[in-house]
């Protein structure tokens, strides 16, 4: 498993299938454990991720770590983290369809090798990539989806992106942060049952 992921990582590092390889500093392949029950798919690397070659290392990543820690989960022990695309889009714009398509083979290989029991789809871009047009994140978050064969029967849950939570500071009942707290507890409950 480690070797297979290493092979894909190396292939991805020298990929030239879309123009993003020309402007990136580092390919951002993954972080966390390679044999977990839980995988998180984010959107795309930002500035900090591009500089360090690791996903979710900026402010949003720190918040994500806190969210996991609130239910006793860490990326060192429990989670594999990656993104829909592996190179940073200029100015952090959303990935283009052709960039997502070019990068799909790497994400699919990560899913195929790891075969997690739960996949968290973090934000609209990840939801769209795996589930298609099921609706916006505020409608679909917190619900379990069966992803079928393409994800080897994993349970899928869309969740808010931590960047969105950073822009919405309220913790009141019904606020995005409050909803995320509900979702992560539900995720931990199902995680323990699998
Ligand atoms: N946002 C993402 O979606 N992924 C990262 O790796 C960092 C920020």
């Amino acid at each position: 498993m480690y070797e297979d992921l290493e092979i894909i990582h190396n292939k991805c590092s020298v990929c030239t299938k879309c123009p993003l390889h020309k402007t990136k500093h580092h390919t951002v392949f993954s972080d966390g454990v390679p044999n977990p029950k839980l995988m998180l798919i984010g959107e795309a690397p930002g500035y900090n991720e591009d500089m360090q070659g690791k996903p979710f290392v900026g402010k949003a990543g720190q918040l994500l770590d806190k969210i996991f820690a609130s239910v006793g989960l860490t990326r060192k022990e429990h989670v594999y983290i990656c993104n829909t695309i592996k190179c940073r889009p200029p100015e952090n714009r959303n990935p283009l369809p052709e960039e997502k398509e070019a990068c799909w083979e790497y994400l699919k290989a990560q899913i195929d090798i790891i075969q997690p029991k739960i996949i968290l789809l973090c934000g609209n871009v990840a939801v769209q990539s795996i589930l298609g047009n099921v609706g916006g994140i505020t409608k679909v978050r917190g619900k379990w989806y069966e992803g079928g064969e393409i994800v080897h029967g994993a349970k899928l849950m869309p969740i808010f992106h931590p960047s969105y939570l950073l822009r919405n500071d309220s913790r009141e009942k019904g606020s995005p942060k409050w909803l995320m707290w509900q979702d992560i507890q539900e995720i931990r409950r199902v995680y323990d049952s699998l």
Side-chain angles (χ1 to χ4, degrees):
M1 177 186 276
Y2 293 88
E3 293 77 20
D4 292 346
L5 283 171
E6 243 353 85
I7 290 167
I8 304 297
H9 189 168
N10 290 339
K11 190 173 170 200
C12 185
S13 300
V14 294
C15 177
T16 55
K17 284 168 69 185
C18 87
L20 294 183
H21 76 276
K22 292 184 198 151
T23 45
K24 70 160 192 212
H25 290 93
H26 290 102
T27 306
V28 178
F29 190 70
S30 70
D31 195 21
V33 284
N35 54 349
K37 285 200 274 188
L38 182 60
M39 177 173 186
L40 177 135
I41 304 174
E43 184 177 321
Y47 173 81
N48 293 294
E49 290 76 22
D50 180 47
M51 292 318 252
Q52 294 183 40
K54 252 194 198 185
F56 284 102
V57 291
K59 279 218 169 90
Q62 286 160 20
L63 177 55
L64 182 66
D65 285 344
K66 278 192 199 161
I67 292 163
F68 279 133
S70 74
V71 291
L73 299 173
T74 66
R75 54 171 108 182
K76 277 211 178 102
E77 293 168 290
H78 309 101
V79 195
Y80 183 87
I81 296 180
C82 62
N83 282 305
T84 306
I85 66 165
K86 315 305 190 209
C87 294
R88 182 191 182 207
E91 317 298 331
N92 297 341
R93 63 157 169 72
N94 277 347
L96 300 173
E98 55 269 31
E99 292 161 357
K100 289 203 281 184
E101 202 181 308
C103 220
W104 169 245
E105 71 164 280
Y106 305 117
L107 178 59
K108 178 71 170 106
Q110 288 172 309
I111 296 169
D112 289 347
I113 294 167
I114 293 169
Q115 299 199 17
K117 299 232 183 292
I118 300 173
I119 302 179
L120 304 180
L121 304 172
C122 188
N124 275 319
V125 172
V127 171
Q128 173 86 36
S129 288
I130 303 290
L131 289 173
N133 292 321
V134 284
I137 193 71
T138 46
K139 183 181 147 214
V140 298
R141 61 130 278 281
K143 295 182 186 156
W144 289 110
Y145 287 80
E146 300 296 334
E149 249 174 64
I150 200 164
V151 293
H152 306 275
K155 289 181 178 300
L156 306 174
M157 185 189 280
I159 57 171
F160 283 132
H161 196 285
S163 308
Y164 178 69
L165 302 179
L166 288 171
R167 296 193 298 270
N168 289 273
D169 214 33
S170 165
R171 287 168 189 276
E172 274 179 30
K173 194 170 174 185
S175 67
K177 275 198 173 140
W178 184 86
L179 291 169
M180 177 61 109
W181 172 240
Q182 313 304 308
D183 295 349
I184 196 68
Q185 292 184 76
E186 166 65 8
I187 290 158
R188 178 74 219 214
R189 191 187 66 72
V190 171
Y191 178 93
D192 287 333
S193 75
L194 293 171

